Amino acid sequence: MGKWSRRAFITIGVLAGGAVVFGVAIRRGNPVDRVSDFMASDDETMLNVWLKIGADNSTTIFVPHAEMGQGIHTTLPMMLADELDANWDEVSVIEAPAHKEYAAYALARGFVAGNADIPEMLVDTVNGFFLLATQTMGLQITGGSTSVQHTGELAMRVGGASARAVLLSAAAEKWNVDVDELETEKSHIIHAATSRRAPYSKFAADAATLTQSPTPNLKRRDDFKIMGTSVPRVDIPAKVDGTASFGIDVVLPGMKYATVMAAPVFGSVVLDIDSNSLANMQGVHEVINLDDAVVVVADGYWTAKKALEQISITWSQTANAEVEQDEIFNQFSRSLDTATENGDYNDDFAVGDVNDAFSTADLIVESEYRVPYLAHATMEPMNCTAWSHDGQCELWLGTQNPLGFAKEVATALDIDADNVVVHNQYLGGGFGRRAFGDIAVQAARIANAVAYPVKLIWSREEDMRHDHYRQASISRFKGAIDAEGRPTAWLNQYVEKHDPADAPHIPYSIDNQLIHYADSPTHVPWGFWRSVDNSLHGFFKESFIDELAIAAGKDPYEYRRELLADQPRFRDILDLAAAKAGWGTSLPDNVGRGIAITKSFGSIVAQVVEAEIVNGSPKARRVVCAVDAGYAMHPDGMAAQMESGIIYGLTAALYGDISIRRGAVMQSNFHDYKMLRMNEAPMIETHIINGGDKIGGAGEPATPAIAPALANAIFDATGIRVRELPMSKIDFSEPSPESLDVV
């Protein structure tokens, strides 16, 4: 799961029970018994695992990803429907089931093979190999901004085009005409020479007996009819009228409620539970020891929560209980110092000779940046409803990895994964948090201990204190500048490397670079957090390039532009953001502009922030965002994701801070882990370039640039250089400190 930004899904074929299912050939075999019961009814024909056609000529598209507000239940069907030439008004969407035939084999294929061209004759074999691998792994992931750029491009478009091809072949056979004489339009096949026109449903059964190509001809972008438009999102009406079902909404007959308290210090376990105080408490049914947590089951959530607060729990003592936040950063500093002194560091990227460049530099600039741990803080609390019965365990929740959760629960209960059934719901926010199966395993263990369904709900305090956190880190920089102000060396060392691998790398033309890191593990659980390592390295490197520009006496925008001379896509996006923001025009007193540009998950994003200090605190007034994701499949959705990523990153830059005291997380709720509120949100403008390159992601690429753009704007307004987040720690009412360490 560490490498999400990879391809997913092209599947198999099935023939069964009044419905025909066949797909892009992946492997030999015909998994009839494994999928036919829930894929189609007698009056529907499956034209691969991604779509079925009804007797009324309607098209149903199965989406293999979870909907967590990113709009993927609209964009992926658009891609398939366009290649199919389906009538969008007659398309319905269903999330694909949590079944091993939907394992994300192409994620693994993409990770291993990248963008390598595979000979057509080998595609089936390669896909079959990776399908088996991902089935074994239990991988059905939504994350890493992969849905459109990989699943959409390599599965949904292929599935739609392949289905269209066999429908045409079936029609040509039935009408006894050459297939080249036929056209398709809005779920109909047309033979212009004889004025015949018939719905897809007339040919679906015959088409289902034909073999589809794994490499069909795909439309050119000039031929798109649905892709590239902003059709209304299919998930919005249910979310507006309240009929959308999230995990928290699930109610089963006879269901009880549970809540949990885990060991405050990571690594501690339960030694003793004194629940005598609950003896006469009405509505309380069970107190369960989960080894590292205690659960109360009751008739209602509030009853369970109040009962849990009355229990006396004795936890084991570990060395982790001595850990303080300051000591964690001291440990990081020591790790960097030791690695540098001993030369015992991990190479990340190296080119040229930085030592030689520093020896001849006219100016050397050094800076150190720090960022804290961050929680996900999804709006929907962590929850899972579980029911253990008849040798099975059923789960109802919103998850980013249904098959992975099934595998984890099966391991915890010592049952076969086929006996774990996951009913995925809408996710009330994911951001990586709902890729971790801890909530599902807890719920399953509770359900396994009782005779009725149980809905486990974490309190907000539990969620905040037992997350899987974005790592805290220190990043040190040293830059060399020549007499003309150009950077000649870039030295960067930082603590802890996760994903993506290229997050610390820079696009700028600097001849001598050395980027390396030191390992410095802590007891704090790590987790995928929106844009993963890009979220911190974006702040680090785009702040430091600004420092180099200021030290060189150059305009930060022009400085970047000069260093991107051989990166036309970067320059185009940078120029667009600067132009739309009015870079260089006058601003009111005490208002500054800052700029930043990052590439992540295949998309390039530049942002310009206008910021000011209000009552001693920073405030972003305006954000101008320019994005090139290769091609925006759903422009409104792309803009919405840019806005979402900006707000999420702005919240972290201003307020996000998970800190450790005596081994435990100090923060507990939104009063001490603040969110950006509507009255604090800036005006956001998004401008999209279809740069024509490979498709990039949308869910995460807007987050990395916002913190450095804001920090750079604050420097422009005040002369105060922000080198540590969150900015709420800084007193901006104080006189401006020295902003550069110049040697």
Side-chain angles (χ1 to χ4, degrees):
M1 286 168 50
K3 305 291 183 183
W4 284 0
S5 53
R6 297 293 179 258
R7 304 172 182 170
F9 300 107
I10 303 174
T11 51
I12 315 179
V14 182
L15 175 61
V20 182
V21 182
F22 69 88
V24 181
I26 289 181
R27 61 175 188 178
R28 296 182 181 180
N30 199 354
V32 174
D33 297 335
R34 294 193 289 275
V35 298
S36 61
D37 289 345
F38 52 84
M39 293 296 284
S41 60
D42 291 344
D43 63 348
E44 295 173 323
T45 301
M46 298 291 297
L47 286 185
N48 56 48
V49 294
W50 307 128
L51 72 115
K52 63 184 178 182
I53 295 176
D56 60 355
N57 205 36
S58 61
T59 300
T60 302
I61 297 175
F62 294 93
V63 178
H65 286 296
E67 177 62 70
M68 48 189 169
Q70 81 278 41
I72 208 60
H73 281 190
T74 301
T75 308
L76 289 186
M78 287 172 61
M79 299 172 78
L80 187 151
D82 204 338
E83 293 290 353
L84 181 64
D85 270 346
N87 182 355
W88 181 253
D89 293 336
E90 296 180 348
V91 169
S92 58
V93 178
I94 298 175
E95 185 171 332
H99 191 280
K100 65 183 181 181
E101 299 306 332
Y102 288 89
Y105 78 89
L107 275 170
R109 170 185 152 183
F111 173 61
V112 174
N115 294 320
D117 290 329
I118 299 173
E120 184 174 353
M121 63 180 296
L122 297 179
V123 170
D124 293 355
T125 301
V126 171
N127 288 345
F129 171 81
F130 286 113
L131 177 65
L132 179 61
T134 50
Q135 286 176 342
T136 302
M137 295 164 62
L139 192 65
Q140 191 185 16
I141 196 74
T142 300
S145 295
T146 58
S147 300
V148 170
Q149 62 176 321
H150 300 311
T151 302
E153 286 287 278
L154 299 173
M156 308 307 280
R157 290 186 66 189
V158 169
S162 297
R164 175 180 174 273
V166 291
L167 285 165
L168 284 168
S169 294
E173 178 70 22
K174 180 166 287 190
W175 286 347
N176 194 27
V177 299
D178 193 296
V179 71
D180 292 336
E181 299 177 21
L182 301 177
E183 298 177 353
T184 56
E185 181 183 39
K186 291 191 172 182
S187 299
H188 283 74
I189 296 179
I190 302 165
H191 186 236
T194 58
S195 299
R196 279 182 286 188
R197 177 186 177 95
Y200 283 170
S201 56
K202 182 175 180 179
F203 311 104
D206 290 335
T209 65
L210 304 178
T211 300
Q212 294 185 34
S213 168
T215 56
N217 292 325
L218 301 179
K219 289 184 177 182
R220 296 173 301 178
R221 290 179 180 176
D222 290 344
D223 297 325
F224 290 172
K225 298 175 182 177
I226 302 174
M227 290 182 278
T229 68
S230 294
V231 301
R233 275 177 46 175
V234 301
D235 60 312
I236 297 300
K239 292 176 177 177
V240 171
D241 66 24
T243 58
S245 180
F246 293 81
I248 200 75
D249 298 322
V250 172
V251 177
L252 302 179
M255 184 182 77
K256 308 298 182 187
Y257 292 79
T259 194
V260 63
M261 180 183 294
V265 177
F266 307 117
S268 295
V269 297
V270 177
L271 293 182
D272 183 67
I273 303 172
D274 182 355
S275 58
N276 291 330
S277 61
L278 306 183
N280 298 318
M281 191 170 181
Q282 189 173 3
V284 176
H285 296 281
E286 299 285 345
V287 176
I288 300 173
N289 184 351
L290 294 181
D291 303 322
D292 62 350
V294 175
V295 175
V296 171
V297 181
D299 288 335
Y301 168 74
W302 189 248
T303 301
K305 186 175 186 297
K306 300 306 290 184
L308 189 59
E309 291 171 355
Q310 294 185 31
I311 294 175
S312 177
I313 307 170
T314 303
W315 307 98
S316 67
Q317 295 297 308
T318 73
N320 294 338
E322 304 300 319
V323 177
E324 299 286 338
Q325 186 68 39
D326 288 345
E327 175 51 33
I328 290 175
F329 278 109
N330 290 338
Q331 172 191 313
F332 291 165
S333 291
R334 290 193 300 271
S335 296
L336 288 173
D337 291 342
T338 300
T340 301
E341 291 167 4
N342 299 337
D344 185 23
Y345 47 73
N346 301 288
D347 283 334
D348 192 325
F349 180 80
V351 63
D353 187 335
V354 294
N355 291 328
D356 182 64
F358 283 125
S359 69
T360 59
D362 286 84
L363 186 65
I364 294 176
V365 180
E366 296 185 78
S367 291
E368 178 178 292
Y369 299 87
R370 296 187 176 199
V371 292
Y373 295 107
L374 294 177
H376 295 83
T378 61
M379 288 296 101
E380 180 190 13
M382 299 301 294
N383 67 87
C384 179
T385 300
W387 184 22
S388 187
H389 65 96
D390 303 317
Q392 285 191 332
C393 182
E394 292 190 73
L395 304 172
W396 290 261
L397 78 167
T399 167
Q400 294 177 239
N401 189 13
L403 283 178
F405 278 32
K407 185 177 178 64
E408 288 189 57
V409 167
T411 300
L413 300 185
D414 195 23
I415 61 176
D416 193 287
D418 290 339
N419 291 325
V420 180
V421 181
V422 178
H423 306 279
N424 206 21
Q425 312 293 306
Y426 281 133
L427 284 63
F431 317 119
R433 177 62 182 96
R434 285 186 158 92
F436 291 90
D438 46 0
I439 184 76
V441 170
Q442 284 185 342
R445 291 180 63 191
I446 297 166
N448 210 41
V450 299
Y452 41 78
V454 175
K455 177 187 284 187
L456 171 63
I457 303 174
W458 280 19
S459 67
R460 181 62 66 185
E461 290 76 12
E462 192 70 15
D463 183 27
M464 202 71 72
R465 290 171 172 163
H466 292 281
D467 202 342
H468 293 255
Y469 303 93
R470 202 286 308 272
Q471 75 267 28
S473 184
I474 292 177
S475 188
R476 294 173 177 171
F477 289 88
K478 185 177 180 181
I481 297 175
D482 65 16
E484 285 73 41
R486 286 187 59 86
T488 58
W490 177 280
L491 174 62
N492 176 210
Q493 55 177 359
Y494 63 94
V495 177
E496 291 296 319
K497 184 177 182 66
H498 293 282
D499 298 311
D502 63 351
H505 302 173
I506 59 173
Y508 303 112
S509 178
I510 300 177
D511 292 338
N512 305 286
Q513 298 180 39
L514 176 59
I515 303 172
H516 60 84
Y517 65 96
D519 295 318
S520 192
T522 72
H523 75 301
V524 181
W526 175 86
F528 309 103
W529 192 91
R530 194 172 191 169
S531 82
V532 207
D533 276 15
N534 290 293
S535 66
L536 45 97
H537 287 291
F539 170 63
F540 296 154
K541 60 192 183 184
E542 280 299 294
S543 294
F544 188 65
I545 196 70
D546 226 64
E547 294 209 36
L548 294 183
I550 299 302
K554 300 292 185 68
D555 176 87
Y557 157 59
E558 296 291 349
Y559 198 67
R560 287 173 170 82
R561 196 174 191 280
E562 291 174 10
L563 296 174
L564 294 170
D566 59 349
Q567 299 273 12
R569 287 185 68 203
F570 277 86
R571 286 186 66 158
D572 287 348
I573 285 294
L574 189 74
D575 289 345
L576 180 61
K580 294 296 184 180
W583 189 272
T585 60
S586 61
L587 288 169
D589 292 342
N590 301 318
V591 177
R593 281 195 190 98
I595 194 167
I597 185 168
T598 58
K599 181 179 181 180
S600 59
F601 306 99
S603 296
I604 305 171
V605 175
Q607 291 168 11
V608 176
V609 173
E610 291 179 10
E612 61 183 332
I613 302 299
V614 178
N615 298 323
S617 298
K619 178 179 176 61
R621 299 164 19 123
R622 180 188 181 207
V623 178
V624 176
C625 174
V627 55
D628 178 3
Y631 188 85
M633 287 292 173
H634 190 284
D636 281 357
M638 173 70 72
Q641 285 301 287
M642 293 299 105
E643 294 168 0
S644 171
I646 286 167
I647 293 296
Y648 201 74
L650 194 56
T651 294
L654 291 171
Y655 305 123
D657 184 16
I658 290 294
S659 48
I660 305 300
R661 178 178 294 170
R662 296 180 181 176
V665 170
M666 293 173 56
Q667 289 71 24
S668 62
N669 211 313
F670 291 131
H671 71 286
D672 56 5
Y673 194 78
K674 291 181 62 178
M675 299 286 107
L676 190 77
R677 296 183 177 271
M678 289 203 278
N679 66 328
E680 301 172 295
M683 178 175 65
I684 301 174
E685 306 166 28
T686 299
H687 304 275
I688 298 170
I689 289 180
N690 288 327
D693 207 342
K694 292 182 175 64
I695 299 295
E700 298 174 278
T703 300
I706 188 62
L710 175 61
N712 296 337
I714 290 172
F715 176 81
D716 186 49
T718 67
I720 298 176
R721 177 62 67 182
V722 175
R723 296 196 182 99
E724 182 174 4
L725 299 179
M727 297 181 189
S728 57
K729 287 184 173 181
I730 302 171
D731 185 357
F732 289 94
S733 63
E734 292 297 312
S736 174
E738 180 64 34
S739 63
L740 292 175
D741 298 322
V742 180
V743 179

